[in-house]
Amino acid sequence: MTDKNERNSTKLNLEAQRLSTDNPLPKETYKTIPDLDHQQQKAALEDVISDAVKNSNMVREKVDMSEEGADEKMLGAGEEEQQNLAKKEEVKFISEQNGDAKIDIGAIDKTFTGLTKEELMKFANDPFWVRLRWFLFVCFWGLLAGMLVGAVLIIIYAPKCAAPEPLSWWKQGPLVKIDTPTPDDIQIGAIKGLGVKGVIYEVPADETYNIGSDPAISDALKKLAASFSDSGINLIVDITPNFVGRADPLFQKAINNPDVRSAFVTRAGHQVPNNWLSLGNNGSAWTYEGDLSFLQQFGRDRFDLQLNDPVALTKLKGVLKEIISLGAKGIRLANTKHFIIDRELTDNVPSNNPNFDHTQYGFWTHSHTTYQDGLGDLLYDLKAYVHNITNDEGFLAASDDIDRPEVYMSTRGLQSLDMIQLGRVPNLLANSTNSEHIYRELRNVWKSTVEAGKHFWLQWNYVQQDLLKHITISEYNIFLQLIPGVPVFNVDAPKGKAELYATEAFHKIRTSPSYMHGSFDLYRDVNSTVIGYSRTKSGNPGFFVVFNPSEYDLNANFSNVVGIAEELTVHTISTNYNATNVAVKGKVSSSSIPVSGYSAIILTYVPKA
């Protein structure tokens, strides 16, 4: 602001001097500057600024010229540096309306230039940098060694994936029934020749609660267990715990002692409590003893126990413990669906079965004498007891067919028994010629047990050989041996012939990963005329079993099987198999498997990924 006032003041003084008459100087005159002169001045100003910029590029920082090669470096500017200098020379002049000029020299290029090798080498032997390099060197190799040691320790001490446990002996099977507690050496040799894992002996129903109190029964069971133990064959005992006889001490005590009477199903008085019938004679299931009515569903002088009662349960557990102490490793229970009786004694309702009349047992539903609430928990308690007294080496199973496997679950969703028996499939296999019928029944069994989350191990109870209509024991055996479950040979010991059952031939398959831990998948061929199933586990050979229940020779197409190979190897053929050009270890196509009428075949293959 001061400069502006001074200029204005000077201007006024000049004007005053010009007007003064005493001033000898001539008066100044004003003349308009032509545009050409203005442009020349502007061009001159641009030249001056350009020279200044060029001169500024010549300024160099003072360096030690005594350094070797320094002159060459100063003079040896590279192409990149020249381009950067050229950019600096780009200056723009912008004219303003009042005649002034604005100068725009662009953005200043701030290029970073690092130290040269020669400059860095000055610090190579500096103690600080030497120590730092050694520190980083040691840290690098120390960390690398630590990671290597850590990896080795992880491999050594990390929890290893447990190998799948082999099946329990009673799951491996097969099992065989014998009809005498005192087999001779010939019978024992025949049984051992079958290659079974267990021998089943059924104690007479009326003798169940005499085990332990009758020396004859106890001694027979002990000797029977010892007869097979040296061959790795375990004894399994079948018992019928539903009732006691008239001479049983507990029954005698219950007549006069109300404290133990709860172990039985009773009603005061002589009036028949309801319409329940006896299984044996189709008459009333009630009998009178003194002033009491006692339930006896299983026949005369067989008094039903209420097995969920603490008194009756204690008596049953005492028998189980005695059987195990005699050398048995497994126990099967008969009539398990009758273990609990409705205490309200409600009448049964008709089943609407036209094959029976109201005087016959089959006419009624028996919904109050079978499959009662609490049955699953009762059986689970008994199973846990058997596992405990056998150190988890034994098992508890049912010995008769089960119609409602869903009942055999505890309230916690656990299987109440180690094994159950579903006899519909073996019976159908023995008599039916309809593959669709067999497929549907087996599918229903599988859905109601394994797929429903009820992972029972199934028992396949063989029918008597003389009851097979169209097939031989060979076909029957081939089809049932590889289904999940254990075959139970229902044959007499004198009739046991190893060549009929060929169990040793199946032993390797039943102990293979594909059987023990593999999947089971049921199939029909493309034309639904033949039934088959696969047993596979990843990384192991697969097995495929085919059964033709019809009388016709067929070529089955199983190319629809998931993961099946195009070419299969014949493993085993049944007695009725007579297809030409097919032999053990031969090859067949999965899209055309020759299957003779009433025959079965086992094939192996490498499953596709």
Side-chain angles (χ1 to χ4, degrees):
M1 188 69 179
T2 304
D3 295 339
K4 184 176 180 180
N5 291 336
E6 290 176 354
R7 287 196 302 270
N8 291 338
S9 177
T10 305
K11 183 177 179 181
L12 291 176
N13 292 336
L14 290 174
E15 185 66 19
Q17 187 177 6
R18 183 181 65 81
L19 296 177
S20 175
T21 54
D22 297 332
N23 186 6
L25 296 174
K27 295 180 179 181
E28 69 273 10
T29 60
Y30 294 94
K31 178 170 128 179
T32 303
I33 301 175
D35 293 337
L36 180 61
D37 295 339
H38 179 71
Q39 293 176 356
Q40 291 176 348
Q41 292 178 356
K42 179 179 179 181
L45 181 58
E46 290 178 354
D47 292 339
V48 171
I49 294 173
S50 177
D51 292 339
V53 172
K54 290 180 180 179
N55 292 334
S56 67
N57 291 333
M58 297 301 294
V59 177
R60 293 293 182 267
E61 186 178 340
K62 219 174 191 184
V63 296
D64 187 1
M65 300 306 291
S66 63
E67 265 187 57
E68 185 179 357
D71 294 340
E72 287 78 2
K73 292 193 195 108
M74 291 290 294
L75 298 176
E79 180 179 352
E80 183 179 354
E81 185 177 355
Q82 293 178 0
Q83 291 177 355
N84 292 335
L85 292 175
K87 291 180 182 178
K88 293 179 182 179
E89 295 176 2
E90 295 180 2
V91 180
K92 297 180 181 178
F93 298 93
I94 303 173
S95 300
E96 298 290 342
Q97 292 180 353
N98 58 1
D100 294 336
K102 181 186 290 186
I103 303 172
D104 183 7
I105 62 175
I108 300 174
D109 187 7
K110 299 179 179 179
T111 303
F112 173 77
T113 302
L115 298 176
T116 64
K117 179 180 178 181
E118 290 75 7
E119 292 171 333
L120 288 173
M121 289 303 294
K122 293 180 179 180
F123 305 99
N125 296 320
D126 184 275
F128 171 78
W129 292 109
V130 170
R131 288 192 298 269
L132 180 60
R133 284 199 305 273
W134 274 108
F135 174 75
L136 294 178
F137 178 82
V138 173
C139 287
F140 171 78
W141 288 107
L143 288 173
L144 189 62
M147 289 189 293
L148 180 61
V149 172
V152 173
L153 292 177
I154 290 174
I155 295 173
I156 295 175
Y157 294 104
K160 296 177 176 60
C161 296
E165 294 184 3
L167 296 178
S168 303
W169 64 268
W170 48 270
K171 286 184 177 182
Q172 292 181 21
L175 311 176
V176 63
K177 288 183 178 180
I178 59 174
D179 57 354
T180 175
T182 56
D184 57 29
D185 292 340
I186 296 177
Q187 293 171 332
I188 292 175
I191 295 297
K192 292 179 178 179
L194 293 172
V196 297
K197 297 296 183 180
V199 172
I200 302 172
Y201 172 68
E202 182 179 358
V203 174
D206 293 313
E207 302 292 340
T208 293
Y209 288 101
N210 293 334
I211 298 173
S213 60
D214 187 340
I217 299 175
S218 299
D219 290 344
L221 292 177
K222 190 172 184 178
K223 291 179 181 178
L224 185 60
S227 299
F228 294 98
S229 61
D230 61 336
S231 299
I233 300 175
N234 295 305
L235 175 63
I236 303 163
V237 177
D238 282 4
I239 60 175
T240 307
N242 304 76
F243 55 83
V244 296
R246 180 177 294 277
D248 189 90
L250 181 62
F251 174 73
Q252 293 297 325
K253 187 183 294 185
I255 294 176
N256 301 312
N257 187 349
D259 293 337
V260 298
R261 194 175 298 161
S262 60
F264 298 88
V265 183
T266 63
R267 173 69 65 86
H270 286 181
Q271 185 178 359
V272 177
N274 53 34
N275 63 355
W276 295 356
L277 298 181
S278 172
L279 282 80
N281 57 25
N282 290 327
S284 175
W286 296 93
T287 189
Y288 308 117
E289 293 293 330
D291 295 331
L292 298 172
S293 297
F294 280 83
L295 180 67
Q296 49 178 16
Q297 294 184 90
F298 296 91
R300 186 176 177 82
D301 291 338
R302 291 177 168 180
F303 301 94
D304 286 52
L305 290 172
Q306 185 75 277
L307 287 172
N308 64 341
D309 179 81
V311 176
L313 184 59
T314 300
K315 185 176 182 65
L316 175 56
K317 286 184 176 180
V319 172
L320 300 180
K321 185 175 181 179
E322 184 66 25
I323 292 173
I324 298 301
S325 69
L326 295 173
K329 288 294 182 67
I331 299 174
R332 301 200 311 169
L333 306 174
N335 306 316
T336 53
K337 63 184 179 182
H338 295 279
F339 276 15
I340 300 178
I341 308 298
D342 179 11
R343 291 186 180 275
E344 300 298 325
L345 307 183
T346 309
D347 281 344
N348 283 320
V349 297
S351 64
N352 297 322
N353 190 331
N355 298 321
F356 302 96
D357 61 45
H358 70 283
T359 64
Q360 295 175 300
Y361 187 84
F363 180 81
W364 304 97
T365 58
H366 309 290
S367 58
H368 299 284
T369 56
T370 59
Y371 300 119
Q372 296 298 293
D373 291 341
L375 179 61
D377 288 329
L378 170 61
L379 293 173
Y380 183 82
D381 177 42
L382 293 172
K383 183 183 77 169
Y385 180 74
V386 171
H387 284 194
N388 183 47
I389 61 179
T390 61
N391 297 319
D392 288 325
E393 294 180 359
F395 72 89
L396 185 70
S399 63
D400 48 3
D401 290 344
I402 302 301
D403 298 323
R404 297 173 56 189
E406 71 278 3
V407 177
Y408 289 76
M409 302 290 291
S410 72
T411 54
R412 293 183 294 168
L414 303 174
Q415 295 90 342
S416 300
L417 295 172
D418 292 305
M419 290 193 292
I420 60 174
Q421 183 169 295
L422 301 171
R424 299 189 300 271
V425 172
N427 292 335
L428 198 61
L429 188 66
N431 303 309
S432 178
T433 60
N434 188 328
S435 65
E436 180 65 25
H437 195 184
I438 299 173
Y439 173 86
R440 186 168 59 251
E441 188 63 41
L442 186 55
R443 184 79 185 115
N444 290 338
V445 167
W446 197 246
K447 287 177 65 177
S448 64
T449 54
V450 176
E451 289 186 0
K454 306 172 184 66
H455 299 284
F456 293 106
W457 197 249
L458 302 176
Q459 299 174 92
W460 305 113
N461 196 37
Y462 281 35
V463 301
Q464 293 286 357
Q465 229 177 303
D466 52 4
L467 297 180
L468 298 175
K469 287 187 176 180
H470 306 291
I471 63 176
T472 70
I473 196 66
S474 175
E475 288 78 32
Y476 197 78
N477 197 37
I478 283 177
F479 190 80
L480 287 180
Q481 279 277 357
L482 300 190
I483 295 178
V486 55
V488 179
F489 301 154
N490 190 17
V491 295
D492 295 333
K495 298 178 182 178
K497 295 181 180 179
E499 63 269 17
L500 295 178
Y501 296 90
T503 53
E504 288 296 336
F506 297 108
H507 179 71
K508 289 185 178 180
I509 300 179
R510 291 182 63 86
T511 55
S512 69
S514 294
Y515 178 84
M516 292 194 298
H517 309 292
S519 62
F520 169 81
D521 297 289
L522 189 63
Y523 296 95
R524 290 166 294 185
D525 71 324
V526 173
N527 298 319
S528 298
T529 55
V530 175
I531 186 173
Y533 62 85
S534 64
R535 301 305 309 269
T536 57
K537 180 175 175 56
S538 177
N540 294 274
F543 297 92
F544 194 71
V545 180
V546 180
F547 173 61
N548 179 9
S550 72
E551 61 180 317
Y552 304 105
D553 295 346
L554 301 170
N555 284 319
N557 183 354
F558 280 101
S559 57
N560 59 330
V561 174
V562 176
I564 196 166
E566 295 179 0
E567 189 176 64
L568 312 176
T569 302
V570 178
H571 182 277
T572 306
I573 56 178
S574 69
T575 301
N576 286 341
Y577 194 92
N578 56 15
T580 58
N581 301 322
V582 177
V584 175
K585 297 185 180 180
K587 305 292 184 180
V588 296
S589 171
S590 59
S591 60
S592 182
I593 303 174
V595 191
S596 308
Y598 302 131
S599 72
I601 183 173
I602 300 178
L603 306 158
T604 62
Y605 64 99
V606 178
K608 293 181 180 178

